Amino acid sequence: GQGQVQGQVQGQRRASNERERGQLRSSNDRGGETAAQYIKEAMSYERQGKFPEMIRSARKAISVEPQSTKGYLLLATAHIKMQDAETAVDAIESGLAKDNEDVELNRLVLKYDEMLTCIMSIHKKQR
């Protein structure tokens, strides 16, 4: 009846509001963790200077939400901090493949321009 339809509409509205606040988990989340939680964790590890842990959290964020560039940004940043420019470039290229206009990824390229540009040009020559 009408009450049942009204209840469904309210349920859908509630789900929509929760989604907007990021409270519903994506269906491909593992163990109930969201990409946002892994990103927050990676950023915390960055502040602590724990870059191997930062890499693990960034990779988990990417596995949960592969279309988001934030995980790639954090992964690249961690590799840069660990002086692993080649792996950083791989992460940046993967992120830019998802969104080549991502402001933060492009800013990272500019910030470490000399080191990264050199490696990226070598990658292009090898293809």
Side-chain angles (χ1 to χ4, degrees):
Q2 193 174 1
Q4 189 177 6
V5 170
Q6 205 169 11
Q8 285 177 336
V9 169
Q10 285 176 335
Q12 289 170 344
R13 197 174 298 130
R14 193 175 312 115
S16 168
N17 289 340
E18 287 173 2
R19 230 185 338 269
E20 285 168 21
R21 290 194 307 266
Q23 292 176 346
L24 284 186
R25 299 176 195 285
S26 162
S27 60
N28 63 350
D29 286 356
R30 291 170 180 83
E33 296 292 319
T34 64
Q37 287 169 301
Y38 289 127
I39 285 166
K40 198 179 290 185
E41 195 177 85
M43 291 166 77
S44 173
Y45 285 134
E46 180 179 16
R47 285 189 295 277
Q48 297 170 48
K50 295 180 175 178
F51 303 117
E53 291 86 349
M54 183 182 175
I55 289 168
R56 264 195 303 279
S57 295
R59 284 198 175 124
K60 287 176 186 174
I62 291 166
S63 75
V64 170
E65 206 172 291
Q67 290 308 311
S68 169
T69 56
K70 191 74 177 169
Y72 295 102
L73 175 73
L74 290 165
L75 184 61
T77 301
H79 284 294
I80 287 169
K81 304 265 181 165
M82 292 179 71
Q83 307 293 307
D84 182 1
E86 198 153 338
T87 310
V89 168
D90 290 339
I92 290 169
E93 287 176 341
S94 296
L96 290 175
K98 307 290 180 193
D99 177 3
N100 68 349
E101 293 179 18
D102 183 86
V103 174
E104 291 183 87
L105 280 170
N106 282 298
R107 194 176 294 144
L108 191 67
V109 171
L110 290 174
K111 185 175 178 183
Y112 296 98
D113 186 42
E114 236 171 86
M115 174 177 79
L116 298 173
T117 306
C118 177
I119 290 165
M120 287 171 101
S121 68
I122 291 168
H123 279 199
K124 284 184 181 144
K125 286 177 190 163
Q126 291 173 347
R127 288 188 181 138

